[in-house]
Amino acid sequence: QKEVEQNSGPLSVPEGAIASLNCTYSDRGSQSFFWYRQYSGKSPELIMFIYSNGDKEDGRFTAQLNKASQYVSLLIRDSQPSDSATYLCAVKGGTGFQKLVFGTGTRLLVSP
Amino acid sequence: GAVVSQHPSRVICKSGTSVKIECRSLDFQATTMFWYRQFPKKSLMLMATSNEGSKATYEQGVEKDKFLINHASLTLSTLTVTSAHPEDSSFYICSARGVGEKLFFGSGTQLSVL
């Protein structure tokens, strides 16, 4: 079982819609959860991080964490074509103390 | 915000040569830096954790004699790919831990070994 799993996509949404990106993790002791955006040929950039169960909102982005279900998601409201990128879920803590484990990423395509 | 500078951004080399990649934290001190490798359409795979003033910690399956890491100061870590071969061609990314949990990435180095 992969440590961090994401659907590779692509996830296609029209401009203005809500994009929902999902991620599950296997290490129940994981403490910190991150969402990164990566454009093709570029390095990842941090969008959001979340530590506690529930929702965390930042502008058009909302991260949702459910530790009981070992599930973290990212919602992007009012999606824009510029949001088209690969979104990487990353998990830290638990047995791999310093290590940040990345999922394979979900490719998001926002059509005008 | 925190900035991590990585150079070079792209390098093409002949098989058997060595390539050095530099990673600098420009406006903060990083006692720990991380080196990742990413193959096309794959996720980032942690290669090693670089600690200032001590030996790097390598992930399972990563050859420490092939991927030499030096973290000589609080702002500089280097990765040297020794005797590079075509299978080492990949996107190499460094990162440094800033304030709290945030991890900031360098711009990456695309290595192509002919």
Side-chain angles (χ1 to χ4, degrees):
Chain A
Q1 181 187 6
K2 291 182 181 178
E3 293 184 68
V4 180
E5 291 202 51
Q6 294 180 258
N7 188 316
S8 61
L11 172 66
S12 295
V13 300
E15 183 175 357
I18 296 176
S20 177
L21 304 161
N22 304 315
C23 171
T24 58
Y25 58 95
S26 60
D27 187 344
R28 187 169 287 278
S30 299
Q31 299 294 322
S32 309
F33 308 87
F34 304 82
W35 282 100
Y36 286 85
R37 177 174 61 196
Q38 186 176 27
Y39 293 107
S40 181
K42 303 294 183 182
S43 61
E45 54 179 326
L46 180 66
I47 296 176
M48 290 193 70
F49 58 91
I50 186 169
Y51 305 139
S52 304
N53 276 327
D55 295 358
K56 180 181 179 183
E57 187 174 319
D58 184 0
R60 295 188 294 115
F61 300 96
T62 299
Q64 299 174 318
L65 175 62
N66 184 326
K67 289 187 177 181
S69 301
Q70 295 174 238
Y71 175 95
V72 58
S73 65
L74 179 70
L75 300 178
I76 306 175
R77 290 181 298 282
D78 189 23
S79 296
Q80 301 297 310
S82 58
D83 294 327
S84 298
T86 296
Y87 289 79
L88 301 169
C89 171
V91 176
K92 191 177 86 70
T95 54
F97 183 60
Q98 283 196 93
K99 199 165 64 172
L100 197 62
V101 180
F102 285 85
T104 52
T106 298
R107 188 171 168 222
L108 173 66
L109 297 176
V110 182
S111 54
Chain B
V3 177
V4 176
S5 175
Q6 184 175 343
H7 294 281
S9 58
R10 180 179 293 274
V11 60
I12 301 172
C13 68
K14 293 183 179 180
S15 184
T17 60
S18 294
V19 175
K20 179 185 281 189
I21 303 170
E22 289 191 352
C23 180
R24 293 180 185 273
S25 57
L26 296 185
D27 52 0
F28 65 102
Q29 293 182 332
T31 55
T32 303
M33 291 186 177
F34 304 90
W35 288 96
Y36 292 85
R37 179 169 53 183
Q38 187 177 33
F39 292 105
K41 298 185 179 180
K42 299 294 183 182
S43 188
L44 280 76
M45 296 300 296
L46 180 64
M47 299 175 64
T49 301
S50 170
N51 301 297
E52 188 268 336
S54 64
K55 292 183 179 180
T57 302
Y58 290 82
E59 293 300 304
Q60 191 174 11
V62 178
E63 299 176 58
K64 62 180 181 180
D65 294 330
K66 181 168 185 62
F67 299 99
L68 301 179
I69 291 173
N70 184 281
H71 195 151
S73 75
L74 288 172
T75 59
L76 174 64
S77 177
T78 61
L79 167 67
T80 302
V81 183
T82 62
S83 185
H85 291 283
E87 59 265 28
D88 298 323
S89 298
S90 186
F91 191 52
Y92 292 85
I93 309 174
C94 72
S95 67
R97 191 186 307 283
V99 176
E101 298 282 358
K102 295 181 182 179
L103 201 63
F104 297 94
F105 286 86
S107 53
T109 298
Q110 183 64 53
L111 171 64
S112 299
V113 185
L114 305 178

